[in-house]
Amino acid sequence: MVNAVILHSPGDEGTARMIAGAWRGGRATLCKMSPERQRVAIGAHSVMIGLWSAKSGADDSGRCLAAALGAAPERSLLVVWDGRPPLAQAAADGVSVIVAPEAAGALMERLHTAAERLEDGRSALGTERSVDGTAKTIGVVLGLCLGALAVAALTGAIPLR
């Protein structure tokens, strides 16, 4: 179960309500950003989802939104629409950015997956790299071969000149 705190500017309230209404597996709380709201506290099993679109306007809500998300980047997401670039400060603070797909269902699937990953302490977007078994095997074999060559060279079995 993951709870969502949906941070939005006044212009994005309709989108925030749609996301809150479709949120599953936890509670969704709306949080309108403004200069009066500089910080947002979230509880256990919660993530912050910031919304940023052409409707967001050019007021101070963007600065406040970026500051709130950047205070807990390991538990925050920023969703952008309309080809709008992400908030520079949020991106610099390491907040994961999701470009909203056209379909609401696809957006909700992405948000749920990313929120679950954050709640589990993993990267929201699944960008961590892992080494599969084949790569590990190749690395071990190469290491053993290089080690054997080094031992042979040092013991004189292989002349270096």
Side-chain angles (χ1 to χ4, degrees), residues 2 6 16 18 22 26 28-29 66 73 78 89-90 93 96 105 115-116 119 123 127 150:
V2 181
I6 303 167
M18 180 276 299
T29 304
L78 175 64
Q89 188 58 52
D93 288 337
S96 297
E116 288 168 1
E119 207 272 328
S123 167
T127 55

Side-chain angles (χ1 to χ4, degrees), residues 4-86:
V5 177
I6 303 167
L7 311 179
H8 63 89
S9 68
D12 285 318
E13 188 167 354
T15 304
R17 288 189 183 284
M18 180 276 299
I19 291 170
W23 195 256
R24 66 175 196 271
R27 287 182 304 223
T29 304
L30 301 181
C31 183
K32 189 184 304 183
M33 299 308 295
S34 68
E36 293 80 35
R37 183 178 302 271
Q38 295 294 323
R39 296 174 9 125
V40 176
I42 59 174
H45 308 294
S46 297
V47 297
M48 288 188 288
I49 301 173
L51 310 182
W52 191 240
S53 75
K55 297 177 198 170
S56 297
D59 61 7
D60 286 338
S61 64
R63 182 183 51 76
C64 299
L65 179 67
L69 295 171
E74 68 284 351
R75 296 181 61 198
S76 299
L77 301 167
L78 175 64
V79 184
V80 296
W81 279 267
D82 312 318
R84 192 162 198 183

Side-chain angles (χ1 to χ4, degrees), residues 50-144:
L51 310 182
W52 191 240
S53 75
K55 297 177 198 170
S56 297
D59 61 7
D60 286 338
S61 64
R63 182 183 51 76
C64 299
L65 179 67
L69 295 171
E74 68 284 351
R75 296 181 61 198
S76 299
L77 301 167
L78 175 64
V79 184
V80 296
W81 279 267
D82 312 318
R84 192 162 198 183
L87 293 160
Q89 188 58 52
D93 288 337
V95 175
S96 297
V97 177
I98 294 176
V99 177
E102 298 266 338
L107 171 63
M108 292 310 299
E109 194 60 39
R110 264 193 200 164
L111 290 177
H112 283 115
T113 300
E116 288 168 1
R117 291 180 65 81
L118 285 176
E119 207 272 328
D120 287 342
R122 297 179 289 161
S123 167
L125 305 177
T127 55
E128 59 265 332
R129 298 185 145 186
S130 63
V131 179
D132 66 12
T134 304
K136 286 180 184 175
T137 302
I138 291 171
V140 169
V141 169
L142 285 174
L144 288 173

